Amino acid sequence: MPPSGAFSQFIVSAMPDLAIIIPSVLNGLTTGALYALVALGLTLIYGVLHIINFAHGALLMLGLYAVYYLNTRFGIDPYVCLLIVPPVMFALGYVLQRGIIGRASHGRDENILLVTLGLSIVIENLALFFFKSDTRIIDTPYSFEVIQILGAFVPEPKVFAFLGAFVTAGLLWALMTFTDLGRAIRALAKERKGATLVGINADHVYAMSFGLGIACLGVAACLLLPSYYVSPQVGQGFVLIAFTIVVLGGMGSFVGALIGGLFIGVVEALSGLFLGESLGQIGIFAIFILVLIFRPTGLLGHKV
Amino acid sequence: MRTLIILAAVFAALALVPLFVVSDVWLNIAIMVLYSALLGQAWNMLGGYGGQFSFGHAAFFGTGAYTVAVLQVQYGINPWVGLFAGGLAAVVVAAIIGYSTFRYGLKGSYFALVTLAFAEVLRILSNSVPITGAGVGLLIPLQVAPSNLQFADKGSYYWLVWAMALAAFLVAWWIGNSRFGAQLMAVRDNEDAARALGVRAYSVKLRAIMLSGFFSGLGGVFYAQYFLYLDPHIAYGASVSIESLLVPIIGGIGTLFGPLLGAIVLHAISEFSRDLIGDIPGISLVLYGTLLVVMVLFLPRGLAGLLIRRKAAPQTPKKTEAEHA
Amino acid sequence: MPEAMLEVSGICKTFGGVRASRNVSLSVPEGKITSLIGPNGAGKTTLFAQITGFLKPDSGSIRFLGEDITGASPEDIAQAGMIRTFQVVKPFAGQTVRDNIAVGAHLRIRSRRDALAKAEEVASEVGLGDRLDQDASSLTVAGRKRLEVARALATEPKLILFDEVLAGLNPSEIRDVIPVIRAVKDRGITILLIEHVMQAVMSLSEYTWVLNQGGLIAEGEPRSVVSDPHVIEAYLGKGMAQRIAAREKTDA
């Protein structure tokens, strides 16, 4: 029986067109993949060092500026930057952890939060000083190319970013599982004392892990800039979202970061669709607060 | 007792400032120093004495500010009433946040992040609803009259913030010398041991965040009445939250005078850098951020930590009668 | 028969496959010093945690002074008069010895001045009178143990559960702390000890329970319990009881 009557008419008219929802979801998935890429580094850092890196957004911003300048000054394609920026970011992360962050704890993990907060303030405001507050974008031959998926047009750079997130997660997993460094990292993460007793240099491996996490930001920056912009404050928008994903997906879980990222991306897109651009972000923070209160080990994490 | 006398003396001296400082520029600096000290002492109650580091104190500040502004602008309610309403509203927000976090045992970095998330939620909300003026914000109409909590001379504003700061510092002194404070600090230093001695940890933390939120809210009310303009970024943005924690951490977390010391240092740096380098956006903040990193690395007890010397163990342990019994 | 001060009945607790407490029951009589012993990992601290509200038992009940306190919060249990100390000592670091003890005193005392006075009083009783203004975290291990005792005493408890209060002390320190514990009992406070230090168990405890792998395997006066073959096996391994008995026969 076909739907009839005022009530069912109301339902039918209230359901938004699939033609609007599908592009929104696809958009959310691709944005979510980028969020996941940012969160991958954060969850690696938390999973191994058990620290919350508040400077994550500011460092992403540095990566974005690096890609921007390599592209506009030297004409290097952002995807070629993948060979340059991540290694440099890795080195930066290594030095930051070894030189500053690693010395900050004095027994309280809030001190790490404060130090990384301090770093993020310094980095963002130095950027403000050097780059001024304008937003900048780059122009690439494929910035406006689209691929048609399910009747919706998705920008090519976003598709590349989506694939890039999975590739990066895969590479990280492979590194953790098959290499000596990966084994050392996992050992240190699980049992610090035991790991040092068998000769693992904790300071060095911690710094390598932090470096890897920041290198992920380098990858994220290369994949993000073609479809986004850069400004000194761009990182701030990513910080809490990345934390939400890490908390949702389980601290230290790559799969969790991927799934969590995609989920958050879609939530943001859909709530932006239904609630409007500005209120849309509330959905994310609400999830963050609720997850931390009721299931702090994440939806996929192990119950403590 | 001795500290109370010192506190009274310091604030008595501070009260005299408008009588001796004629320049509006310097008086403004003095006002902002006390304002920062107020915000910092508020944070200190929860973060220093209570050990719970909040990254979202703007949630309380902005609520106090918006309450007095909205009541005036949208409902024509006198700002003196708004002052109390603002403080009360901030306490309610604090109670909600405290309940949500402490009831479920959130602490440490997670607590810091959740408070930040709450502040962000409030920022987004105030940016979207018409009653707060949405993104445009609220302009409080200029109607200079003491009955309107607006003053013609800066000196009166100074005494207003002086009174608020005095109240905050008195409460902080009380925390350091009361059963409540003893229990709060015990929870801070070792929650399990405190609970095993009968301290009701959740209740104590909740009261601390409510006290802390109240004074932050008062700070917001002052801001609104002094600057007469508010928007979501000013009210609930990160800079208030950062200033609130920076001041006590630099001055000496968990100490009575730390927030005053920190406020003076921060503003001294700000003025100094402006004189030396010029009015460049972000420079002060770069210095603040660097100072924060340096403090945490080398002086986690803040500047006051340099001055307070904790009694260490005596060089040769002496055995007493009881120990030989 | 009058109900014991602390009545533990049928406590069971499992942690992801490990049965930490198997149907444990014991009755702590008022006014005496009793003890809970057993090899490492037997579940003694887990039992303490359940008794004092830090863990909820899966099943069973705990009654203190006639009231059911199963699943009550640690604060409520402390209020009722049962205090526990911790195996790994937890001083309020950064605070003075006096302030540390005052926290305990504040359970019953509102006034700051009175609480501080009580703290001084209690400190002298346990031998910390000369270190009142010292930072608690700079105390020696023995000093910290005394601090644990002092904090507990300051709350005016009826029952104190000492979790390995003698652990980490050398023999002469143990000799010094034992009288402190006996003095606590002489004030009329009931004591239940978890202990490894056998000399303390023998000299202080009037009755003891032996826990092994979560379950009670013996109870009674320390002297008889210690020669119980099951107890010997729990500590030294299977068959040890017979080997020791056989050795004694050949030596005789």
Side-chain angles (χ1 to χ4, degrees):
Chain A
M1 271 293 280
S4 59
F7 182 68
S8 36
Q9 296 238 324
F10 168 75
I11 296 290
V12 168
S13 67
M15 292 294 278
D17 210 346
L18 228 51
I20 302 180
I21 293 200
I22 289 187
S24 183
V25 170
L26 286 174
N27 194 38
L29 284 174
T30 51
T31 310
L34 279 163
Y35 287 156
L37 207 46
V38 175
L40 270 176
L42 198 59
T43 203
L44 168 62
I45 289 174
Y46 189 83
V48 177
L49 291 97
H50 303 294
I51 70 180
I52 294 187
N53 177 25
F54 212 78
H56 217 64
L59 291 164
L60 173 66
M61 179 261 292
L62 281 185
L64 285 168
Y65 270 110
V67 179
Y68 176 81
Y69 276 106
L70 284 173
N71 181 261
T72 53
R73 281 290 171 78
F74 305 105
I76 303 178
D77 183 279
Y79 297 121
V80 173
C81 288
L82 280 169
L83 296 170
I84 307 172
V85 175
V88 172
M89 301 281 283
F90 173 86
L92 177 63
Y94 186 95
V95 167
L96 279 177
Q97 163 63 21
R98 202 90 200 245
I100 300 180
I101 300 172
R103 299 174 193 231
S105 107
H106 300 296
R108 290 196 69 147
D109 52 269
E110 289 101 326
N111 283 335
I112 307 274
L113 209 54
L114 289 173
V115 159
T116 52
L117 173 67
L119 282 173
S120 76
I121 295 174
V122 172
I123 295 173
E124 271 172 22
N125 285 283
L126 279 178
L128 192 60
F129 177 66
F130 285 113
F131 304 130
K132 309 294 177 276
S133 60
D134 347 292
T135 33
R136 300 161 206 236
I137 55 169
I138 58 173
D139 225 334
T140 59
Y142 36 78
S143 287
F144 297 107
E145 293 294 309
V146 289
I147 299 180
Q148 203 185 42
I149 304 175
L150 291 181
F153 295 103
V154 187
E156 257 186 20
K158 291 201 140 194
V159 176
F160 294 153
F162 184 84
L163 296 169
F166 282 90
V167 169
T168 311
L171 286 174
L172 269 179
W173 174 83
L175 188 145
M176 290 305 229
T177 317
F178 299 120
T179 65
D180 279 342
L181 175 64
R183 274 185 278 266
I185 292 177
R186 278 186 291 140
L188 196 55
K190 233 187 185 123
E191 175 55 69
R192 189 205 158 110
K193 251 211 171 97
T196 47
L197 282 175
V198 298
I200 293 177
N201 180 344
D203 287 340
H204 170 71
V205 175
Y206 277 146
M208 296 287 275
S209 313
F210 195 84
L212 272 176
I214 306 304
C216 286
L217 284 177
V219 174
C222 298
L223 295 175
L224 178 60
L225 195 54
S227 57
Y228 208 67
Y229 66 89
V230 64
S231 80
Q233 283 95 6
V234 75
Q236 287 175 11
F238 284 89
V239 171
L240 264 183
I241 295 180
F243 283 135
T244 306
I245 295 170
V246 167
V247 153
L248 194 60
M251 305 270 191
S253 160
F254 295 148
V255 173
L258 272 178
I259 299 181
L262 294 175
F263 176 74
I264 289 291
V266 172
V267 164
E268 189 190 31
L270 287 180
S271 42
L273 191 66
F274 291 115
L275 293 173
E277 235 7 88
S278 58
L279 277 180
Q281 291 235 310
I282 283 197
I284 300 180
F285 298 133
I287 291 180
F288 179 68
I289 293 172
L290 290 172
V291 172
L292 268 191
I293 289 175
F294 295 112
R295 213 177 144 134
T297 51
L299 295 181
L300 297 179
H302 304 291
K303 252 217 150 188
V304 174
Chain B
M1 239 324 147
R2 204 185 60 201
T3 36
L4 189 58
I5 296 174
I6 297 177
L7 181 63
V10 167
F11 268 83
L14 286 172
L16 300 176
V17 165
L19 301 178
F20 294 99
V21 175
V22 205
S23 142
D24 255 8
V25 171
W26 279 100
L27 203 45
N28 185 54
I29 293 175
I31 290 175
M32 293 316 285
V33 166
L34 280 184
Y35 161 79
S36 295
L38 169 64
L39 291 186
Q41 189 64 277
W43 189 95
N44 193 33
M45 290 177 193
L46 180 65
Y49 291 106
Q52 312 294 324
F53 287 18
S54 144
F55 271 33
H57 250 59
F60 315 127
F61 172 87
T63 299
Y66 266 121
T67 301
V68 72
V70 166
L71 285 180
Q72 262 177 100
V73 171
Q74 313 284 26
Y75 300 106
I77 296 182
N78 183 277
W80 284 97
V81 175
L83 177 95
F84 289 103
L88 192 62
V91 169
V92 169
V93 169
I96 293 174
I97 295 179
Y99 173 80
S100 313
T101 52
F102 300 140
R103 197 96 197 84
Y104 299 97
L106 267 182
K107 43 180 87 146
S109 309
Y110 295 166
F111 174 75
L113 289 176
V114 169
T115 52
L116 178 61
F118 270 108
E120 273 298 285
V121 167
L122 286 172
R123 190 185 60 77
I124 294 173
L125 279 175
S126 61
N127 200 37
S128 318
V129 298
I131 198 176
T132 48
V136 171
L138 286 177
L139 208 53
I140 296 178
L142 191 65
Q143 287 168 313
V144 180
S147 56
N148 243 352
L149 208 53
Q150 287 179 37
F151 306 103
D153 61 311
K154 279 212 190 302
S156 303
Y157 276 113
Y158 178 88
W159 280 313
L160 175 62
V161 74
W162 174 91
M164 292 176 171
L166 175 63
F169 274 73
L170 281 174
V171 169
W173 175 84
W174 172 75
I175 290 179
N177 290 274
S178 64
R179 177 193 204 209
F180 168 73
Q183 294 182 328
L184 180 64
M185 291 188 270
V187 167
R188 170 194 69 190
D189 290 337
N190 201 309
E191 187 161 334
D192 277 346
R195 297 180 72 196
L197 292 171
V199 175
R200 298 187 183 277
Y202 165 69
S203 157
V204 142
K205 286 194 270 193
L206 189 63
R207 279 178 280 159
I209 197 174
M210 286 165 74
L211 271 176
S212 179
F214 175 74
F215 285 103
S216 240
L218 279 190
V221 169
F222 176 79
Y223 184 97
Q225 293 302 120
Y226 188 53
F227 291 104
L228 297 177
Y229 174 68
L230 218 56
D231 71 22
H233 192 74
I234 292 173
Y236 290 120
S239 49
V240 167
S241 296
I242 291 176
E243 180 172 358
S244 298
L245 65 85
L246 207 55
V247 163
I249 286 176
I250 287 174
I253 198 173
T255 66
L256 178 59
F257 292 105
L260 186 58
L261 205 53
I264 294 173
V265 168
L266 239 48
H267 282 275
I269 289 179
S270 176
E271 292 306 310
F272 185 72
S273 68
R274 187 175 304 161
D275 285 345
L276 221 61
I277 309 172
D279 219 336
I280 300 167
I283 275 298
S284 287
L285 286 170
V286 171
L287 290 171
Y288 290 171
T290 312
L291 195 55
L292 179 57
V293 172
V294 165
M295 279 291 158
V296 174
L297 280 178
F298 303 113
L299 272 180
R301 294 251 219 98
L303 290 174
L306 287 176
L307 306 170
I308 298 173
R309 240 165 300 265
R310 201 48 84 172
K311 294 263 178 74
Q315 294 308 86
T316 46
K318 295 173 292 203
K319 296 241 175 209
T320 59
E321 289 300 322
E323 286 183 67
H324 277 296
Chain C
M1 199 175 67
E3 201 183 354
M5 182 178 233
L6 176 67
E7 196 72 55
V8 176
S9 320
I11 293 296
C12 297
K13 182 81 183 167
T14 311
F15 290 113
V18 177
R19 290 176 66 191
S21 304
R22 291 171 206 251
N23 204 12
V24 179
S25 301
L26 45 91
S27 306
V28 177
E30 186 164 349
K32 300 200 202 284
I33 301 181
T34 50
S35 58
L36 185 63
I37 65 176
N40 275 325
K44 308 187 290 291
T45 299
T46 307
L47 188 62
F48 258 27
Q50 292 174 80
I51 294 173
T52 52
F54 282 92
L55 279 178
K56 310 264 172 285
D58 293 338
S59 60
S61 76
I62 304 161
R63 295 179 71 80
F64 178 58
L65 295 175
E67 300 280 318
D68 187 350
I69 59 163
T70 328
S73 70
E75 301 94 307
D76 286 334
I77 292 177
Q79 184 85 43
M82 186 190 334
I83 302 288
R84 83 171 278 194
T85 66
F86 290 86
Q87 188 173 348
V88 178
V89 206
K90 299 180 185 224
F92 298 125
Q95 296 190 48
T96 61
V97 166
R98 183 189 277 112
D99 286 343
N100 262 262
I101 303 174
V103 176
H106 270 307
L107 179 58
R108 312 275 176 211
I109 301 175
R110 269 216 100 81
S111 145
R112 182 71 182 149
R113 184 181 305 161
D114 293 344
L116 289 170
K118 172 113 185 149
E120 285 194 28
E121 205 184 291
V122 172
S124 325
E125 279 182 45
V126 304
L128 285 175
D130 59 333
R131 287 171 269 186
L132 278 165
D133 289 309
Q134 206 173 301
D135 187 325
S137 52
S138 69
L139 287 173
T140 61
V141 177
R144 291 184 191 209
K145 299 285 183 167
R146 288 174 195 266
L147 183 62
E148 287 276 297
V149 177
R151 280 197 320 207
L153 271 186
T155 67
E156 301 200 2
K158 303 201 178 68
L159 167 65
I160 304 185
L161 272 55
F162 284 114
D163 193 344
E164 299 206 34
V165 67
L166 299 171
L169 300 179
N170 63 46
S172 80
E173 285 165 339
I174 292 176
R175 246 193 356 254
D176 288 338
V177 175
I178 285 184
V180 176
I181 299 181
R182 207 176 271 126
V184 170
K185 178 226 172 180
D186 290 340
R187 274 154 137 264
I189 300 173
T190 310
I191 298 177
L192 174 60
L193 303 165
I194 287 182
E195 255 325 319
H196 267 314
V197 178
M198 279 312 166
Q199 119 200 43
V201 174
M202 294 302 222
S203 63
L204 285 173
S205 169
E206 298 161 63
Y207 197 85
T208 191
W209 292 273
V210 188
L211 215 58
N212 188 31
Q213 296 187 335
L216 274 179
I217 58 170
E219 63 178 275
E221 273 171 50
R223 230 153 285 273
S224 52
V225 152
V226 157
S227 29
D228 182 323
H230 290 120
V231 174
I232 296 180
E233 287 197 348
Y235 275 97
L236 301 177
K238 252 186 148 30
M240 276 313 282
Q242 286 129 302
R243 282 212 281 280
I244 292 180
R247 167 98 43 89
E248 277 167 5
K249 260 211 192 81
T250 57
D251 284 344

